[in-house]
Amino acid sequence: MPTITYIEADGEQHEVAVAAGTTIKDAAIANGIDGIVAECGGNAMCATCHVYVDPTWADRLPAMEPVEDELLEDTASPREATSRLGCQVAVGDDLDGLVVRLPEAQE
Amino acid sequence: MTGAVVIVGAGQAGFQVAASLRQRGHQGPVTLAGDEPGLPYQRPPLSKEVLAGAAAPETTALRPEAFFAKHDIALRSGQQVVGVDRDRRTVTLSSGAALDYDHLVLATGARPRALPKPGADLDGVLALRTLDDAVAIRDRVTADTRVVVIGAGFIGLEVAAGARKRGAEVTVLEVAPRVMGRALSAPSAAHLVGRHERAGASIRTGARIGRIADDGHGRAAGVVLAGGELLHADLVIVGVGVAPATDVAEQAGLPVDDGVLVDATLRTEDPHIWAIGDCCRFPLPSGQHVRLESVQNATDQARAVAAAITGGPAPYDAVPWFWTDQHDAKLQIAGLLDGHDRTVLRGDPDGDGHSVFCYAGERLVAVESINRPRDHLAARKLLAASFSPRAEDVADDAVDLRELLAVTAPAPPSAAT
């Protein structure tokens, strides 16, 4: 089971173990991590599951679909070079240990 | 920030009030009471992933149980409100518990309208509103099932798409001359019909229902049209709209008119009682009173009321938006169609994606985007700014809608020379 570490905007850290294939968004919701909202339920419609992927991991993530790229233009906190939508990134064993930071605001 | 808040209705709106109150630092007791069992859940996946069998029912939970304990939100599931005493400011639940409140938030949602025809209560005639409804429909739809859907609105068409994906034979009956008559422009409605028909569904408009036929054993055998034609069916799904659940408001003696009536800050005539989401009728900035059924309306109104309770009331003025998924078409609607008299096409309806811009005179009122999220997001910005781009700019796909707005918007003071 891969683990994901979430670092909230206030610095609080959560490390969670998830079944391979779980999205960054689903893992956060299931573990009660508040910095992810996911208002549309993971349909790539609302940009409220915005995360900053740790730069050491950014290149190892699956490529973005155009819709994700577009939605990232509309996030509540500013987009950065390693911004992703948590609902669009499934975490397999190859991403075991992934670290993401959560933005100040999602909505 | 220490008052007691009681929220009636644990759907998307009710849940969001509780979550936003805690997020904003509200210290007082927060109770979230809902009449359904279990954890609050999302409704959008019910007619999509859950129906299609692609998502297990429990994956629809908005948050796990631990969330409510962590944030000190008293979740009272499976509870009805049996009394509201506005003088003493208490709510009594079916369990017998009496809860004091400083703020009462009504987020009671809506219920499916019944089909007013003989046979509507037969076994095999179902509506879709709750998680249990979705599971019941999912369990009855297989590749051998003949499904007749009555009503071609959002829910009817999503169920039709889901059932077709599972291989069922699907017929959609709509009494109006076209599908989604109130919710969608004519070009977008026609586009959706094309997708359904290419996927093998039959869509019949102008279809008046006579009755549901009985198989002799209390089960639905089909739908009989007003002209006498019988359409065989193993399952009849009724999607003829919803009615707001206003019982609690009526019990409390609050004004109701197809929705709990609230002012621009979402407050009822009682300053201690608010109403939000599907159950409320509220004034738009234009002065028009509307009742909207959408996740966006539920959650944005919930946040507005949480802000009002923790800070102070402010007018609610979010741009409404909606979405639906049907046969690989992700349709997003920004704004409200009412009164539109012409449409402008952007993009190619036979290509990857396109949008339909709906104007009332020169004023942009709504934009429907199919597989065009970028247009949708730009449309929300245009509508929020009350900016109506010229039709020729909209029709030209090379024109960047955001730049249009940036050029037209007044420069911020710091940029002034």
Side-chain angles (χ1 to χ4, degrees):
Chain A
M1 279 170 89
T3 65
I4 308 173
T5 299
Y6 297 85
I7 306 173
E8 300 217 37
D10 65 4
E12 193 184 340
Q13 292 202 17
H14 312 266
E15 186 179 307
V16 304
V18 301
T22 307
T23 65
I24 293 174
K25 183 274 288 182
D26 283 339
I29 298 292
N31 288 282
I33 293 164
D34 297 338
I36 287 204
V37 174
E39 186 166 299
C40 76
N43 285 289
M45 296 231 184
C46 69
T48 62
C49 61
H50 180 201
V51 300
Y52 303 119
V53 176
D54 185 276
T56 58
W57 289 90
D59 292 344
R60 294 161 63 176
L61 264 51
M64 234 183 254
E65 298 287 330
V67 56
E68 182 182 350
D69 193 25
E70 291 173 12
L71 278 165
L72 283 168
E73 296 297 319
D74 201 49
T75 51
S77 288
R79 180 178 188 170
E80 293 177 6
T82 67
S83 285
R84 294 296 301 256
L85 292 184
C87 71
Q88 298 301 299
V89 181
V91 178
D93 287 321
D94 55 324
L95 292 176
D96 182 22
L98 178 68
V99 178
V100 299
R101 284 186 302 113
L102 302 177
E104 284 281 334
Q106 293 281 13
E107 50 202 12
Chain B
M1 302 246 272
T2 54
V5 181
V6 174
I7 304 156
V8 180
Q12 195 113 28
F15 165 79
Q16 189 63 51
V17 176
S20 292
L21 282 170
R22 289 302 185 222
Q23 200 180 6
R24 300 179 68 91
H26 182 77
Q27 302 285 322
V30 173
T31 304
L32 180 59
D35 56 3
E36 289 185 60
L39 293 169
Y41 58 86
Q42 308 168 68
R43 287 188 205 282
L46 302 185
S47 48
K48 306 176 185 82
E49 292 88 344
V50 174
L51 186 75
E58 57 274 15
T59 61
T60 60
L62 278 157
R63 292 292 181 278
E65 196 156 9
F67 175 90
F68 298 91
K70 177 181 168 190
H71 292 286
D72 195 17
I73 296 166
L75 178 62
R76 292 169 178 263
S77 302
Q79 301 277 317
Q80 259 108 28
V81 169
V82 294
V84 177
D85 185 331
R86 284 166 56 188
D87 295 327
R88 290 167 186 249
R89 300 215 297 265
T90 59
V91 170
T92 308
L93 301 180
S94 45
S95 65
L99 307 169
D100 294 331
Y101 67 80
D102 296 291
H103 294 277
L104 175 63
V105 182
L106 302 178
T108 45
R111 299 190 189 99
R113 287 185 199 278
L115 183 73
K117 299 291 175 186
D121 55 352
L122 289 169
D123 184 26
V125 181
L126 299 176
L128 172 50
R129 179 73 187 176
T130 66
L131 187 55
D132 287 348
D133 293 338
V135 170
I137 294 172
R138 180 199 68 186
D139 290 349
R140 285 178 183 235
V141 177
T142 67
D144 303 324
T145 316
R146 292 166 302 179
V147 179
V148 172
V149 177
I150 299 178
F154 280 101
I155 291 293
L157 289 178
E158 287 178 6
V159 170
R164 193 67 205 106
K165 264 182 213 158
R166 305 197 75 178
E169 181 186 312
V170 174
T171 303
V172 181
L173 302 176
E174 169 58 54
V175 67
R178 68 173 175 85
V179 309
M180 294 186 81
R182 289 172 306 145
L184 217 52
S185 72
S188 294
H191 181 88
L192 274 191
V193 167
R195 286 185 179 255
H196 280 271
E197 289 178 342
R198 283 194 297 280
S202 164
I203 297 190
R204 293 174 60 164
T205 53
R208 293 198 301 123
I209 309 300
R211 63 187 169 86
I212 311 296
D214 190 331
D215 73 347
H217 305 282
R219 278 190 52 91
V223 177
V224 181
L225 298 178
E229 183 186 353
L230 170 66
L231 302 167
H232 292 285
D234 308 299
L235 186 61
V236 178
I237 306 295
V238 177
V240 294
V242 296
T246 53
D247 331 31
V248 176
E250 285 169 43
Q251 206 172 44
L254 294 167
V256 166
D257 177 13
D258 184 33
V260 185
L261 298 180
V262 295
D263 66 16
T265 68
L266 308 174
R267 189 136 56 175
T268 67
E269 70 165 22
D270 183 326
H272 297 279
I273 307 183
W274 314 76
I276 57 171
D278 288 12
C279 77
C280 97
R281 178 169 291 276
F282 68 99
L284 296 171
S286 67
Q288 182 195 2
H289 286 68
V290 295
R291 193 173 65 73
L292 300 178
E293 299 156 9
S294 72
V295 170
Q296 171 274 324
N297 187 60
T299 54
D300 281 348
Q301 291 193 333
R303 280 191 282 265
V305 164
I309 290 171
T310 52
Y316 173 78
D317 64 353
V319 173
W321 58 276
F322 310 82
W323 86 81
T324 176
D325 269 315
Q326 298 168 28
H327 291 305
D328 301 328
K330 182 181 279 192
L331 167 64
Q332 296 167 287
I333 306 163
L336 298 174
L337 278 176
D338 294 353
H340 84 283
D341 50 24
R342 73 194 166 105
T343 58
V344 178
L345 177 67
R346 180 176 173 86
D348 175 9
D350 299 320
D352 291 340
H354 70 280
S355 294
V356 174
F357 283 64
C358 303
Y359 288 83
E362 298 304 311
R363 191 166 54 88
L364 181 68
V365 294
V367 178
E368 302 160 339
S369 302
I370 292 177
N371 299 334
R372 271 283 181 119
R374 188 174 174 79
D375 282 359
H376 172 70
L377 293 170
R380 279 159 57 182
K381 291 191 165 67
L382 293 170
L383 291 164
S386 297
F387 176 67
S388 300
R390 296 181 308 167
E392 53 265 44
D393 287 336
V394 163
D396 182 353
D397 224 358
V399 173
D400 186 324
L401 297 172
R402 287 155 194 268
E403 280 178 20
L404 223 49
L405 187 59
V407 168
T408 315
S414 59
T417 52

